[in-house]
Amino acid sequence: MITALRGMKDILPPQNQKFEYFIKNTSKIVKKYGFEFIETPLLEETSLFKRSVGESSDIVGKEMYQFKDKGGNDVCLRPEGTAGVVRAFVEKKLDRIGGINRFFYYGPMFRYERPQKGRFRQFHQFGVESFGVESHYEDANIILMTKEILDFFGINYSLKLNSLGCEDCMTPYRKELITFLDTITDDLCPDCQRRKETNPIRVFDCKNEQCQALLNPAPRLNQNLCEKCDTHFNALRTILDKQNVKYEVDPNLVRGLDYYNQTAFEFISGDLGAQNAVAGGGRYDKLVSFLDGKETPAIGFAIGIERLLEMIEIPQEQRKGYYFGALCPQAIGIVFDAASKQRKTDIVTLSYEKKSLKAHLKAADKAGARYCAVIGEDELENQTIWIKDLQEKTEFTAPLS
Ligand code: HAM
């Protein structure tokens, strides 16, 4: 038997309903904030991710589904959505036109990671990218929007916030950090020794307890920000405080992708287990110019859909439409006609089989229908239809007409 590849899953019932429920409601929320739908290809040139996500990241270093296509091009399945959206933004010259552009997208991402609970090789993200606003108000807007989405679905979360500075403060800070790391190099894990050479701030992301203990006295970027970045970060914090958004400043939050500057954030949930990040994002003001566009401030985030779906239930009132069924063979034709008529205005699931009332009710429940409508011998004789409202738990008989 051929099975799905390790770390890849089908979206089948009941997850399919949750998936649609999530997409529909999240799209509605982000549209309120002025975001428009964008779709970019799943397959991109490998160099796109090398230049944006960064060669030092685990994603590019170890996890890409990379191959040569039949034309000999070095391509890879997208490990994340931001790079593709920025590529499209530059390719369509939206950077030249200027103004504000806000996009949202959802779809599969691919990372060759070790699969475990909440971590897949093919997973789905819902992401947003906002271009053209430098103000910290946009950072606040994006965080409030993420919060609104998580609140809508009743998720328990905490918010971690950090500032990753800019070139002006990051360059001297990096030197200072390397000087510190030189004093502990031999005791660091091999990964951190590599990180020290490629992107030293990544050491803060290390899960190794010994490394974390050694890093305790390390200088932290959020205490070495330049005036501009410090002001930006404090202004953002002031807005979040005013809006009663609870957060923790986490100097270890460096994110797993290289393109960020200034604001970085993650929403984590204690209901998730080890893979506890449900959404993450931040500002990436240099990425557009890095991908040959005109320098454009930008910020975005992505939600891990599988992780979020694990924590939500579809509320009962989401039951929709009708389920039609026949209790005796003679009723099938009439049920078929009634279903066709009702379908003009409602969602209708139709069973062509004669079944017991209990079996029909069960099938209607499974189909997520609000009403289960059946016709049996009595109803045929009286030209009526029996209907149960599965939400209100009431039942009644109505004339077939
Ligand atoms: P990320 O933090 O790498 O950010 O991924 C965002 C979310 O995707 C994570 O918080 C997590 O919920 C989910 N996720 C990541 N890897 C996996 C996996 N292997 N299995 C299941 N879920 C996973 C980004 O990808 C950035 N592009 C976000 C962004 C948009 N930043 C700015 N704009």
Side-chain angles (χ1 to χ4, degrees):
M1 187 182 54
I2 299 172
T3 57
L5 296 173
R6 192 161 125 79
M8 306 207 172
K9 284 206 308 190
D10 304 303
I11 303 176
L12 293 164
Q15 284 304 94
N16 60 347
Q17 287 185 16
K18 280 197 197 179
F19 192 94
E20 283 192 292
Y21 171 68
F22 167 76
I23 298 294
K24 190 178 126 201
N25 288 292
T26 306
S27 306
K28 225 190 236 170
I29 295 173
V30 300
K31 281 181 187 171
K32 283 197 307 173
Y33 288 75
F35 285 80
E36 302 180 68
F37 180 64
I38 188 173
E39 173 90 21
T40 63
L42 303 195
L43 206 57
E44 296 270 7
E45 247 182 66
T46 300
S47 56
L48 172 65
F49 301 106
K50 287 195 173 165
R51 275 168 66 183
S52 53
V53 176
E55 305 236 22
S56 78
S57 67
D58 281 355
I59 296 177
V60 169
K62 308 184 197 166
E63 297 168 1
M64 289 215 288
Y65 277 87
Q66 182 184 356
F67 57 95
K68 285 252 161 44
D69 71 7
K70 287 189 167 54
N73 305 301
D74 188 354
V75 296
C76 104
L77 286 169
R78 64 180 185 192
E80 60 102 49
T82 310
V85 173
V86 174
R87 193 233 355 102
F89 178 79
V90 174
E91 197 174 329
K92 282 279 170 297
K93 301 194 170 43
L94 297 176
D95 55 327
R96 306 278 150 190
I97 297 166
I100 301 171
N101 285 278
R102 296 190 176 99
F103 297 111
F104 77 90
Y105 54 88
Y106 51 89
M109 309 291 159
F110 303 84
R111 296 183 190 175
Y112 196 84
E113 297 195 76
R114 196 170 49 76
Q116 63 178 87
K117 188 175 178 298
R119 189 162 72 190
F120 310 100
R121 288 181 175 168
Q122 177 176 337
F123 60 98
H124 295 76
Q125 283 185 347
F126 189 107
V128 309
E129 314 296 347
S130 159
F131 298 96
V133 191
E134 200 178 354
S135 162
H136 56 273
Y137 277 103
E138 189 66 355
D139 306 44
N141 208 31
I142 292 272
I143 290 174
L144 287 167
M145 185 170 78
T146 320
K147 183 179 172 307
E148 183 173 340
I149 295 167
L150 300 182
D151 285 341
F152 177 89
F153 293 107
I155 306 293
N156 289 317
Y157 57 78
S158 50
L159 168 60
K160 290 186 170 193
L161 198 63
N162 196 15
S163 175
L164 300 176
C166 66
E167 257 165 33
D168 285 351
C169 41
M170 183 56 103
T171 309
Y173 168 73
R174 193 180 285 124
K175 275 197 194 131
E176 200 187 325
L177 178 61
I178 293 174
T179 307
F180 170 80
L181 293 176
D182 279 339
T183 64
I184 54 168
T185 307
D186 294 345
D187 299 319
L188 290 171
C189 73
D191 267 347
C192 280
Q193 293 187 6
R194 183 179 53 81
R195 289 175 180 129
K196 188 185 142 220
E197 303 306 322
T198 53
N199 188 357
I201 64 160
R202 274 276 146 65
V203 295
F204 292 114
D205 210 16
C206 186
K207 303 288 173 282
N208 183 313
E209 279 177 18
Q210 185 181 329
C211 291
Q212 281 304 333
L214 288 165
L215 290 170
N216 256 338
R220 303 293 163 149
L221 179 58
N222 66 343
Q223 275 138 26
N224 289 274
L225 294 174
C226 63
E227 202 184 322
K228 188 173 168 218
C229 291
D230 200 40
T231 307
H232 184 99
F233 194 45
N234 286 330
L236 168 64
R237 292 182 60 182
T238 305
I239 301 177
L240 295 180
D241 291 338
K242 239 180 165 165
Q243 296 281 332
N244 288 322
V245 178
K246 293 202 177 65
Y247 60 83
E248 174 204 339
V249 175
D250 179 359
N252 284 351
L253 179 71
V254 291
R255 306 277 298 130
L257 309 96
D258 280 353
Y259 46 63
Y260 294 111
N261 66 289
Q262 292 189 334
T263 310
F265 64 91
E266 263 176 22
F267 283 83
I268 58 165
S269 177
D271 296 339
L272 276 176
Q275 298 304 315
N276 62 3
V278 62
R283 188 164 267 288
Y284 53 93
D285 295 332
K286 296 286 171 207
L287 187 54
V288 175
S289 58
F290 227 74
L291 294 176
D292 306 321
K294 186 175 156 203
E295 191 160 308
T296 307
I299 178 166
F301 75 88
I303 293 177
I305 299 183
E306 281 79 2
R307 292 187 191 172
L308 188 126
L309 295 194
E310 193 159 304
M311 298 185 282
I312 68 172
E313 290 301 331
I314 304 185
Q316 280 296 304
E317 59 270 20
Q318 289 304 312
R319 291 189 163 283
K320 265 201 284 315
Y322 284 76
Y323 170 98
F324 278 83
L327 297 170
C328 58
Q330 314 85 284
I332 293 179
I334 302 209
V335 161
F336 187 89
D337 290 345
S340 305
K341 222 166 151 190
Q342 197 70 31
R343 199 172 276 126
K344 292 200 170 85
T345 50
D346 281 297
I347 299 167
V348 172
T349 312
L350 173 62
S351 160
Y352 303 112
E353 278 172 81
K354 164 209 157 284
K355 281 190 204 163
S356 69
L357 179 59
K358 197 171 156 201
H360 278 311
L361 284 167
K362 205 167 152 194
D365 183 45
K366 198 167 164 221
R370 165 99 192 242
Y371 301 100
C372 175
V374 296
I375 300 180
E377 282 172 11
D378 289 350
E379 288 79 15
L380 268 185
E381 201 179 310
N382 301 324
Q383 284 297 293
T384 54
I385 185 160
W386 180 88
I387 299 170
K388 176 156 183 169
D389 182 337
L390 296 173
Q391 193 170 297
E392 300 296 328
K393 312 269 184 254
T394 53
E395 52 189 72
F396 54 98
T397 301
L400 192 52
S401 58

